[in-house]
Amino acid sequence: MAENQAVWGIEIGQAGLKAIRLRYAEAADQVIAVAFDYIPHPKILSQPDAVPDELIGQALDTFLSRNETNGDLIAISVPGQTSLARFIQLPPVQSNRVPEIVKYEAKQQIPFALEDVIWDYQPLGGGIEESGYMLDAEVGIFAMKRDQVLHALQPFLKRKIEVELIQIAPLGLYNTLCYDSLGMRVGQDFEGNPEESAIVVDMGADSTTLMVTNGNKIWIRNVPIGGNHFTRALTKEMKLTFAKAEHLKCNATRSEDPRAVFQALRPVFNEYVSEIQRSIGYFSSVNRDAKISKVYGTGNGFKLAGLQKFLQQNLQYEVERLDDFQGLVGDAVLNEPLFQDNILTFTVPYGIALQALQQTTIRTTLLPPEIATARKIRRKKPWAVVAAAALMIGLCISAVGYSNVANSVSQDRFGAVETKVKNLKQQVGGYDSAYKGEETEYTSLIEQGNKLVWNMDSRADWLEIYKAIDECLPRDVGDEIDNEQIEKRNRIKLPGITVRHEKDLGTWFQGLSPQAKSLLPKIDQDTPPEGEGYVFTLNGVHYHNDESKPTTDVGVLYVHETLLKNLQSWTVKNPGSNPVDVRKMGITHPVILKDNREPFEFYPNGRPRGTRQGGEGRFAGRSGGFGGLGGGGVGLANDEAAFAGGLGGGVGRPRIGNNRPEKEVKPINLQRTQFTLEFIWKPIPVLERQETPPDAPATEGEEATAEAG
């Protein structure tokens, strides 16, 4: 970077374009704010009638018409929710092998092929080097899909603006906090307490970025609540248009009825602070030695009246706004009213501009390598031309000299040497042929090995789906295990489980009857399945018939309240076991297609010879396809009577020949319910699974699942 070269830090958010121009004064060791610009969009980009590409292009055109960028470096940010950040602890490894180990870890942590993403890594503080080995080294891996990076870069390329740095927004927050609030400088040791961590809460239009750091380590989470959620609450509760609700939100204290405004916003306040508390709780559980010292609020959404006080009361931490850049000078910018009104939204542009000025410890960038390489080649072309010209002159002089020598060359003088060269070429050709043969054999062995281990990545998924089905079955716990009444025992048998692969799950959904669709959860009714996946068919039977609860424990209603309800849950947790993912792993649209209830005669000591068992159905005498999955574990039953016998507590002694029983044996009259249940499974990898369901907090889902179990 040329001396005193200025840098533009630009962030294009949902609400507008924010840009700040910085210059580093080496003599004073200060960063100077030279210029800024704030261009709000006519509409928020996430509104239904907004066209983001057009609005972004208009904002960039306005920015270029009002500011000069020739000769300046350009740094831009991309949203944190569209990127991937992973922090890993490396094992003891040689210092020169760190890039190789990090690349291996990136393949494990990034759920896409590395060719489809732009990624970079950053060694974080805490590691030490001893005898050529890195010990306790922590590395941050940051990635984003290539097409998303190119989409963010396209408006700048279209206007022939060369972008020098692309950084994710959370790292821009980290740069600002470390440089401006913690006073960290490049080349100086950080004197802060490593056990004290600070939280930065950046509220945007549609989401909030939560970043926790102690100056060395970083932890990032995106909270799906932003300023627009408060606006939508006003539009719903007070029947306003989006524009009027936005104006009322920004001027709540000056409205005709401030109490009504805050009453409408209170549910969103509670949900917002609950998400932040959940994030802090998870961070504290992972980093037990860390202590939260302060919470910094930034983003224009943080200007919402009462938000700072509400967070401080509920979080029990000091909450401070980042509305004063202590490490920045330049009164012409800092004292400008427009800048002061929107200073909370300049935190990210300030941070990425600091990195472009090389004033931070972060060095990562998501600029595509091919663009950086082409730019480097273009900058070195003049020197390459000069070097090529000098080389050509030298070659011409050398050629003239060798031509004079060549005139004196004779066959007798160089014939033996030429023969040696020819023999050497033949020897090299032989070695080359042998090498290619070994290379072909090596490639063949690699292909054979890949055929043997091709399914190792997905084999655990099938074990997990069958475990989820088993955990969803009802079971007796505690004193209920000793219950002698068969009709009140919590057991369902699955004689058969079949799976079929469907290329279009929508066809399966269209084939359901209107009655079956009406029994689906509302979220499944509103979102029919798409694409390919698996359809599981469960053929089940049970004898549970508690007539004291006719609305829940009789016939197919019992299946609805137990197995079906658990299959609709986000996770299932049975007593004495860990939570098991259900809907979280991709199980959706569970539905009972048909059921049949009929009387069943059960003989505790075996059915006497010559008597006909009542109500024999299509499931009798079947051993089950996969094996009967029973409540509390996997159990194998050879027929219906054996299953019922297990419920009753014993199997009668065998009879020899045609001997009849000495006395009349009376059967126990039961009600047998047979049913067929189907559901869809679209496998979701563990790294892509959401922590909470889209319609309710995770804790509520888990409690409801525990009660159903």
Side-chain angles (χ1 to χ4, degrees), residues 146 149-150 153 157 162-163 166 366-378:
R146 178 179 291 272
V149 174
L150 296 177
L153 197 59
L157 297 178
E162 291 191 355
V163 176
I166 301 177
L366 297 182
L367 184 69
E370 61 271 16
I371 295 178
T373 302
R375 191 173 298 168
K376 186 181 296 184
I377 293 174
R378 189 182 69 243

Side-chain angles (χ1 to χ4, degrees), residues 261-512:
V261 175
F262 287 107
Q263 197 69 22
L265 295 177
R266 188 168 186 83
V268 188
F269 272 103
N270 292 333
E271 185 180 2
Y272 187 67
V273 76
S274 175
E275 286 290 339
I276 294 179
Q277 286 175 334
R278 185 178 294 109
S279 301
I280 294 176
Y282 179 77
F283 170 78
S284 300
S285 66
V286 176
N287 304 273
R288 299 185 181 276
D289 297 333
K291 297 179 181 179
I292 306 299
S293 60
K294 186 180 291 187
V295 177
Y296 294 93
T298 184
N300 270 352
F302 210 80
K303 295 193 298 183
L304 182 62
L307 178 59
Q308 181 179 357
K309 183 178 180 181
F310 188 79
L311 288 178
Q312 189 159 320
Q313 290 175 348
N314 287 274
L315 298 180
Q316 300 297 316
Y317 297 121
E318 180 184 354
V319 180
E320 177 183 328
R321 290 185 181 180
L322 280 175
D323 54 2
D324 182 19
F325 295 152
Q326 302 176 5
L328 189 63
V329 297
D331 294 340
V333 172
L334 299 178
N335 295 333
E336 181 70 26
L338 180 61
F339 185 81
Q340 284 294 323
D341 290 342
N342 298 279
I343 190 171
L344 291 176
T345 196
F346 280 91
T347 310
V348 173
Y350 179 28
I352 60 176
L354 285 173
Q355 179 179 343
L357 287 173
Q358 300 179 7
Q359 297 302 307
T360 64
T361 57
I362 296 296
R363 293 287 181 268
T364 61
T365 179
L366 297 182
L367 184 69
E370 61 271 16
I371 295 178
T373 302
R375 191 173 298 168
K376 186 181 296 184
I377 293 174
R378 189 182 69 243
R379 291 174 180 173
K380 293 183 177 181
K381 274 185 178 180
W383 297 103
V385 171
V386 173
L391 182 61
M392 288 299 296
I393 295 173
L395 287 175
C396 291
I397 296 174
S398 176
V400 171
Y402 278 107
S403 64
N404 294 329
V405 175
N407 292 330
S408 59
V409 174
S410 63
Q411 181 67 26
D412 296 337
R413 185 176 181 182
F414 296 100
V417 176
E418 290 178 352
T419 302
K420 290 182 179 180
V421 171
K422 184 177 180 180
N423 294 336
L424 180 60
K425 287 182 177 179
Q426 293 177 351
Q427 186 178 7
V428 170
Y431 289 153
D432 185 65
S433 300
Y435 172 81
K436 290 181 178 179
E438 295 295 332
E439 185 179 31
T440 302
E441 183 179 358
Y442 170 80
T443 304
S444 176
L445 291 174
I446 293 297
E447 291 177 352
Q448 294 176 11
N450 291 336
K451 290 180 180 178
L452 295 175
V453 299
W454 67 272
N455 64 340
M456 292 187 66
D457 293 338
S458 61
R459 62 180 180 178
D461 295 344
W462 291 95
L463 298 177
E464 187 178 12
I465 184 68
Y466 284 117
K467 179 176 176 60
I469 296 174
D470 184 44
E471 291 294 324
C472 289
L473 291 170
R475 62 203 64 205
D476 292 314
V477 296
D479 295 337
E480 297 175 355
I481 297 176
D482 300 326
N483 191 354
E484 296 294 336
Q485 300 183 35
I486 299 174
E487 65 273 10
K488 292 186 178 181
R489 285 197 171 188
N490 293 312
R491 294 192 181 182
I492 291 178
K493 176 189 175 184
L494 299 180
I497 299 178
T498 59
V499 187
R500 67 180 185 272
H501 181 266
E502 293 285 350
K503 292 186 178 179
D504 184 9
L505 294 172
T507 304
W508 173 86
F509 185 78
Q510 292 174 0
L512 296 178

Side-chain angles (χ1 to χ4, degrees), residues 22 35 94-95 97 102 149 213 218 311 349 373 423 521 523 541 585 619 663 695 708:
L22 303 182
Q94 295 179 1
S95 301
R97 295 195 60 195
V102 170
V149 174
T213 182
I218 309 173
L311 288 178
T373 302
N423 294 336
I523 186 174
V541 61
M585 69 176 293
F619 290 100
K663 60 180 179 179
D695 56 346

Side-chain angles (χ1 to χ4, degrees), residues 176-236:
T176 299
L177 181 68
C178 292
Y179 183 87
D180 204 88
S181 299
L182 302 182
M184 295 176 59
R185 297 294 183 267
V186 177
Q188 299 180 8
D189 295 334
F190 179 51
E191 299 179 356
N193 187 354
E195 295 183 358
E196 290 189 359
S197 300
I199 302 176
V200 179
V201 179
D202 181 15
M203 179 185 284
D206 289 327
S207 63
T208 297
T209 298
L210 191 142
M211 190 274 299
V212 187
T213 182
N214 61 354
N216 290 326
K217 297 185 177 181
I218 309 173
W219 187 81
I220 299 170
R221 182 176 185 263
N222 290 302
V223 178
I225 300 177
N228 285 348
H229 291 74
F230 293 90
T231 307
R232 295 189 188 103
L234 290 177
T235 60
K236 180 179 179 181

